[in-house]
Amino acid sequence: METATTIENGVGLRTKKTKIVRRSDSWQLYLMLLPAVMLVFIFVYIPMGGIVMAFQEYEPYLGIMKSEWVGLDQFKFLFEYPDSVQVIWNTLRISVLKLVFSIITTLGFAMLLNEVRNKFTRNAVQTFVFLPHFLSWVVLGGVFIELLNPDHGLINQFIVFLGFEPIFFLGDNNWFLATVISTDVWKEFGYGSIIFLAALAGINPALYEAAQLDGAGKLKQMLHITLPSLIPTICVVLILSLSQVLSAGFDQIFNLYNPLVYEKGDIIDTFVYRVGLIGGNYSFGTAIGLFKSIVGLILIIGGYRLAYKVAGYRIF
């Protein structure tokens, strides 16, 4: 018995020593990680101290230390402000629609691309559809403004050519919502398909061979093999996307919207920008941002737990 215990202790000590040696051998990797950690600490964690402004009537000339403390008054004002409910509703509506159409488009594209057997064609299509993801909305915003211009935009010229009236896509509340959803899906569906293509690669080919022997065509194989195999991945993507429900895409909206479409296009982030920074109401803007962050954190924790229960997905 004593011999077994001695052996176990010896193995444990060797394991600890091995880990220490490995960690000491990896100091170059930790050193390479240091600049990124410092950047995150300086530009993400240190500015969090400004959250205290949400509980103050902040005045720049007094600073955080001397501004008046008002408790939760900014949060009460948030729900009494005339535009707050409309802005929150706009954010939820745009986020949910983006999520639904993005999942459908991304999944459909991944399934279709998976059926392409020619490697050159497949790689060419992938490269072509991935490209928009790497373009900034500052660039794309300018392109879409020109394309959708009601006077000389290429799309409106085509609509007029077909005999219809030109459409003010970025100046009409009803068309603006559709424009935002469609342009976002166009930009991201290629890059978003990576995770589904990876999941499709993991499906056992024997299932398709067995289905072919039973006489199942491509459509039946998709319905009875591909889709059921992708359900855990779809659940994980949907659940983890819940954390972004209150982030409807500041870059896109900011570069496309204008006062004509505030009714349908103003979201929390653009509202904070207009009221908090442009309007000089820093405390109110901070309170809105803090409210959004708390809701996002709750959704992340809830989504993570739900993903673990539904699909067995976990990071830690």
Side-chain angles (χ1 to χ4, degrees):
M1 190 68 182
E2 289 181 357
T3 306
T5 306
T6 306
I7 293 172
E8 287 178 1
N9 290 336
V11 172
L13 286 173
R14 281 198 298 273
T15 306
K16 288 181 180 177
K17 286 181 180 177
T18 305
K19 287 181 179 177
I20 292 170
V21 170
R22 285 179 180 172
R23 285 173 184 171
S24 63
D25 289 342
S26 305
W27 66 269
Q28 298 94 338
L29 299 177
Y30 290 110
L31 190 63
M32 290 171 66
L33 191 63
L34 185 61
V37 173
M38 289 181 65
L39 284 175
V40 171
F41 181 74
I42 293 171
F43 293 105
V44 177
Y45 284 94
I46 291 179
M48 283 185 183
I51 289 174
V52 71
M53 291 166 57
F55 305 95
Q56 295 178 324
E57 190 61 49
Y58 177 75
E59 295 292 346
Y61 65 92
L62 293 175
I64 290 178
M65 301 302 292
K66 295 183 179 179
S67 293
E68 182 186 359
W69 186 266
V70 296
L72 298 176
D73 285 358
Q74 300 293 350
F75 295 92
K76 293 177 184 176
F77 185 57
L78 167 63
F79 293 100
E80 294 171 355
Y81 198 83
D83 295 337
S84 295
V85 175
Q86 182 65 45
V87 167
I88 293 172
W89 169 241
N90 287 344
T91 307
L92 289 173
R93 178 170 53 187
I94 291 174
S95 295
V96 171
L97 287 174
K98 277 185 177 180
L99 181 61
V100 171
F101 282 100
S102 175
I103 288 286
I104 294 173
T105 310
T106 303
L107 180 61
F109 172 74
M111 292 174 66
L112 290 174
L113 189 63
N114 191 54
E115 296 299 322
V116 177
R117 298 302 172 205
N118 187 293
K119 192 175 179 180
F120 175 78
T121 305
R122 182 173 173 155
N123 291 338
V125 172
Q126 276 185 300
T127 304
F128 183 72
V129 298
F130 284 4
L131 185 61
H133 170 78
F134 299 100
L135 297 177
S136 164
W137 271 114
V138 176
V139 176
L140 289 178
V143 172
F144 282 120
I145 288 172
E146 288 300 316
L147 285 175
L148 301 174
N149 190 292
D151 297 325
H152 57 266
L154 189 62
I155 293 177
N156 268 308
Q157 286 184 3
F158 181 69
I159 291 174
V160 172
F161 174 76
L162 294 177
F164 298 99
E165 293 291 326
I167 299 171
F168 196 1
F169 289 99
L170 300 178
D172 186 305
N173 273 306
N174 296 320
W175 281 104
F176 182 77
L177 184 61
T179 305
V180 166
I181 305 300
S182 57
T183 52
D184 180 76
V185 170
W186 170 81
K187 183 177 185 291
E188 299 296 342
F189 84 94
Y191 191 77
S193 65
I194 291 176
I195 188 169
F196 290 117
L197 288 171
L200 286 167
I203 299 176
N204 188 353
L207 296 174
Y208 292 104
E209 294 171 4
Q212 287 174 354
L213 290 175
D214 290 339
K218 289 291 182 186
L219 182 60
K220 286 189 176 179
Q221 289 178 32
M222 279 189 180
L223 292 176
H224 298 289
I225 298 175
T226 307
L227 274 179
S229 301
L230 290 177
I231 284 177
T233 307
I234 296 171
C235 290
V236 170
V237 172
L238 278 173
I239 292 168
L240 294 182
S241 298
L242 289 176
S243 62
Q244 301 298 320
V245 163
L246 291 186
S247 297
F250 172 80
D251 290 343
Q252 181 194 18
I253 302 294
F254 182 73
N255 283 288
L256 292 179
Y257 87 153
N258 57 72
L260 293 174
V261 292
Y262 278 173
E263 182 184 346
K264 296 287 181 69
D266 202 15
I267 60 174
I268 292 176
D269 288 338
T270 54
F271 183 64
V272 169
Y273 175 78
R274 286 194 301 109
V275 176
L277 293 180
I278 303 299
N281 197 342
Y282 303 109
S283 293
F284 185 55
T286 307
I288 300 172
L290 182 58
F291 165 75
K292 176 191 160 188
S293 299
I294 291 172
V295 174
L297 178 63
I298 294 170
L299 290 174
I300 287 174
I301 295 173
Y304 182 72
R305 290 183 177 277
L306 197 58
Y308 177 63
K309 287 187 177 180
V310 173
Y313 175 84
R314 64 184 306 171
I315 299 174
F316 304 105

